[in-house]
Amino acid sequence: MTSTDLQEIEARAADWIAERDRYDATLPPDRQQALDAWLAASTAHRVAFLRLEHAWRRADRLGALPASGAQRRRTPLAWIAHPAVYRTAAAFCTVLVAVLLVTQFGRSPETQRYATARGQREQVALADGSHLTLNTATHVRTAVTPRAREVWLDEGEAFFDIAHDARRPFVVHAGAQTVTVLGTKFSLLREGDRLRVAVLEGRVQVKAPRGTPTVLTRDDAALAERDNVLVTRKSTQQLKAGLSWMQGKLVFDQATLADAARQFNRYGRKQLVIEDDAAARIGIGGVFDADNVEAFARLLHVGFGLDVNVVGMRSGCRVRPRERTG
Amino acid sequence: MAESHDSEGSDVENDELSAWFVDQVLPLEGVLERYLRRNWRNASEIADLRQEVYARVWDGCALRRPDSAQAFVLATARNLLIDRARRAQIVAIDTFADMDALAPTVDELSPERHLTGRSELRLLQVALDLLPARCREVVELRKIEGLSQREVASRMGITEDTVERQVSKGVRALAQALQASATAVGLAPAGPLRKKGTLQ
């Protein structure tokens, strides 16, 4: 089943519920027969219908509210009702972001702030149709006005899918570096003063404060630090592997265990500590769940015979060769 | 009781199964949603997965109801994720890690907290406030003021067909909003617990 199938089924189910609601729960016989036939046609129809009907019936409890609709709406929670917030609230986590947004900026529509906690990932839809995907421990601020589109990457990593708009360049500020785009897909990883750029589609321009602008195109990756921009060309495959975090995966190709641990430690509160230099140099490859460092540690135990000590629920795992005898 | 050997299922059986489904399975939506989100990275597929789990639970329980709806729902979800991961041909090492992580945690198997009438009301209020203005007005008049669709139409000066369309929209939006808030606050909504005759 694809999501369009599901949407069609849900739309049809909701239509049935609305039609029945119009007749106060008793459909004319021929319509009832049609509904029965529709329900019997597929379990998918039936469960979608029951789920929506359940929600609609739960709403009966609203009758407990005073009928004067105007006052009722000023509840402590009513700020969630802002339509712009609802649009981005497709994923439930975004509600949490909205809390942050409101508490930080009150009613200012100009700048919005989004943040993810460690291990969290978040989709942000901007008013211009652009989409941002924030990786673990990331802070961004956005300002979309009729004249300009600006994002500040204060910390962390984000993938940008930018809606084309020639009259409104899209500018990302990442520390001293400025990245300007028209319409494209690319990712930025900020590590302090250092900025890593990877371009999946289109063109972007990277500019350091005193450097000349460098233009990157599809499959280009760049490392910008102070006034230097180092550009390398990658295969689309490599580039996509670097974006596997968008599916919550870490992809290692000829990485050392030390690198792998550093990557995992960006995501989890549990930290992986490699206590042995020789073990740290072990080569690692594969695809892993970014938020499941324990499974990775177990794999090290099974695959490489390393001792894995879990040091408390919070502090994580210590890894060292089994039975060290010098 | 589903003692019948008629596999197609009569209307009565379907009604009983529906009642069980509404009472026991649907209130687990928050739990299910969190489980899927934690174990499946592609957020855009969560709704499909949820629907597929519901369908499998329905079919799987047509003849016999499980002792614990929650354990059954989560086991169904787990099997579905494994099927999907296999079909996606993820490399073996990854599947290994995934499968291991898929076991439902103790936390999820503890009995879900039921909402009191008051927090259910607040949840609904939040959900209601998420609806587009016109749709919300229709739902408010229908549910809070208790007007019929016809009365809503004349009060708002719009056609009955328009009201019906707004209700249809409202049904889906409410379900979506209720699910989002239930998932976010970590509570499973309480189902109506007043059905006659338990189905075991």
Side-chain angles (χ1 to χ4, degrees):
Chain A
M1 161 160 325
T2 67
S3 40
T4 8
D5 289 340
L6 175 58
Q7 276 169 21
E8 273 168 29
I9 291 171
E10 287 190 337
R12 193 75 200 90
D15 284 348
W16 275 118
I17 292 162
E19 185 177 342
R20 204 165 65 167
D21 183 73
R22 182 172 180 169
Y23 293 101
D24 229 348
T26 316
L27 285 169
D30 59 322
R31 296 301 292 155
Q32 182 62 47
Q33 254 174 21
L35 170 57
D36 289 342
W38 185 77
L39 290 175
S42 149
T43 305
H45 294 180
R46 195 180 292 275
V47 292
F49 180 86
L50 286 175
R51 174 171 176 270
L52 294 180
E53 189 195 34
H54 179 57
W56 186 239
R57 232 183 301 134
R58 276 173 75 188
D60 285 347
R61 198 187 277 270
L62 284 168
L65 292 171
S68 55
Q71 285 166 329
R72 189 200 54 76
R73 221 165 296 141
R74 298 277 77 79
T75 61
L77 287 167
W79 50 263
I80 298 183
H82 194 284
V85 176
Y86 179 56
R87 243 167 275 131
T88 55
F92 80 90
C93 287
T94 318
V95 173
L96 303 179
V97 174
V99 174
L100 191 66
L101 189 157
V102 169
T103 51
Q104 299 273 321
F105 283 90
R107 300 213 172 348
S108 160
E110 286 290 306
T111 313
Q112 306 200 325
R113 182 188 289 260
Y114 302 91
T116 51
R118 212 169 247 266
Q120 217 187 357
R121 203 167 61 245
E122 198 67 65
Q123 301 263 6
V124 174
L126 300 183
D128 68 328
S130 300
H131 290 269
L132 273 52
T133 309
L134 311 184
N135 199 3
T136 175
T138 297
H139 287 238
V140 299
R141 286 168 291 145
T142 65
V144 176
T145 66
R147 270 165 290 123
R149 300 182 288 172
E150 282 184 286
V151 170
W152 291 263
L153 178 64
D154 293 327
E155 188 185 345
E157 182 169 25
F159 180 78
F160 296 79
D161 182 351
I162 303 305
H164 184 80
D165 186 347
R167 288 167 312 157
R168 273 195 297 175
F170 195 104
V171 180
V172 185
H173 307 277
Q177 315 288 336
T178 312
V179 179
T180 310
V181 297
L182 289 178
T184 180
K185 295 181 183 175
F186 65 103
S187 77
L188 296 180
L189 167 60
R190 186 172 168 192
E191 300 164 318
D193 288 342
R194 199 182 281 170
L195 182 68
R196 289 181 190 275
V197 189
V199 181
L200 205 65
E201 275 179 26
R203 279 155 36 114
V204 310
Q205 173 195 291
V206 182
K207 189 178 176 314
R210 283 184 300 279
T212 45
T214 306
V215 174
L216 308 177
T217 58
R218 173 191 285 262
D219 293 346
D220 279 342
L223 178 64
E225 195 173 3
R226 300 212 171 77
D227 292 335
N228 304 310
V229 180
L230 179 70
V231 182
T232 52
R233 192 135 192 99
K234 295 200 169 185
S235 73
T236 310
Q237 211 59 35
Q238 286 172 317
L239 219 79
K240 289 223 166 110
L243 292 172
S244 54
W245 60 265
M246 292 177 72
Q247 278 80 46
K249 303 287 182 194
L250 291 177
V251 178
F252 301 127
D253 182 20
Q254 297 173 357
T256 64
L257 187 48
D259 289 338
R262 204 173 307 124
Q263 285 299 314
F264 268 110
N265 290 346
R266 286 178 61 205
Y267 291 84
R269 214 175 294 142
K270 291 187 192 176
Q271 299 287 295
L272 195 62
V273 182
I274 314 293
E275 291 190 328
D276 180 88
D277 287 347
R281 285 194 294 274
I282 291 176
I284 290 279
V287 183
F288 305 91
D289 263 350
D291 61 358
N292 196 348
V293 70
E294 292 101 322
F296 180 68
R298 265 199 301 283
L299 210 61
L300 295 178
H301 176 67
V302 174
F304 298 101
L306 296 171
D307 253 0
V308 175
N309 274 332
V310 177
V311 197
M313 285 304 283
R314 281 286 152 82
S315 46
C317 311
R318 292 182 182 278
V319 176
R320 69 166 82 92
R322 187 181 292 169
E323 287 164 13
R324 298 164 84 187
T325 47
Chain B
M1 299 298 157
E3 294 290 330
S4 161
H5 300 287
D6 179 5
S7 63
E8 275 311 291
S10 68
D11 284 352
V12 175
E13 278 168 346
N14 271 338
D15 287 349
E16 284 187 0
L17 185 54
S18 296
W20 173 82
F21 192 82
V22 170
D23 277 352
Q24 301 292 319
V25 177
L26 289 178
L28 299 171
E29 185 149 305
V31 174
L32 173 61
E33 194 85 5
R34 283 194 300 281
Y35 178 79
L36 293 174
R37 282 181 189 281
R38 189 154 51 233
N39 293 297
W40 198 256
R41 293 304 143 211
N42 192 345
S44 66
E45 291 174 7
I46 298 293
D48 288 333
L49 291 169
R50 182 190 62 223
Q51 160 83 2
E52 181 67 23
V53 169
Y54 282 161
R56 285 188 181 196
V57 167
W58 174 279
D59 288 335
C61 296
L63 292 179
R64 201 181 151 275
R65 319 273 187 268
D67 294 334
S68 160
Q70 178 156 313
F72 191 81
V73 166
L74 290 178
T76 306
R78 177 173 185 273
N79 290 339
L80 175 64
L81 294 189
I82 290 172
D83 286 356
R84 288 279 174 104
R86 287 210 179 111
R87 221 180 307 152
Q89 291 185 317
I90 296 173
V91 291
I93 200 169
D94 173 52
T95 313
F96 172 91
D98 269 346
M99 304 275 162
D100 222 27
L102 278 175
T105 61
V106 178
D107 160 54
E108 278 158 341
L109 287 171
S110 65
E112 76 275 13
R113 294 153 66 194
H114 285 262
L115 290 180
T116 61
R118 177 172 277 239
S119 33
E120 164 87 348
L121 189 58
R122 206 169 53 193
L123 202 65
L124 282 161
Q125 238 175 301
V126 173
L128 186 63
D129 282 332
L130 287 170
L131 303 184
R134 187 139 99 143
C135 182
R136 184 175 63 202
E137 198 181 345
V138 169
V139 174
E140 281 179 353
L141 290 174
R142 181 81 190 81
K143 292 289 184 183
I144 300 179
E145 312 234 346
L147 304 184
S148 69
Q149 284 195 21
R150 173 174 304 206
E151 289 163 337
V152 173
S154 69
R155 174 83 71 93
M156 289 177 69
I158 55 182
T159 67
E160 274 187 71
D161 285 343
T162 306
V163 172
E164 192 183 308
R165 269 198 302 279
Q166 291 298 328
V167 167
S168 174
K169 220 166 119 183
V171 166
R172 297 176 73 188
L174 273 176
Q176 157 78 20
L178 285 171
Q179 171 254 302
S181 12
T183 311
V185 298
L187 292 170
L193 296 168
R194 52 186 153 64
K195 279 282 176 295
K196 284 163 270 159
T198 52
L199 304 157
Q200 283 298 335

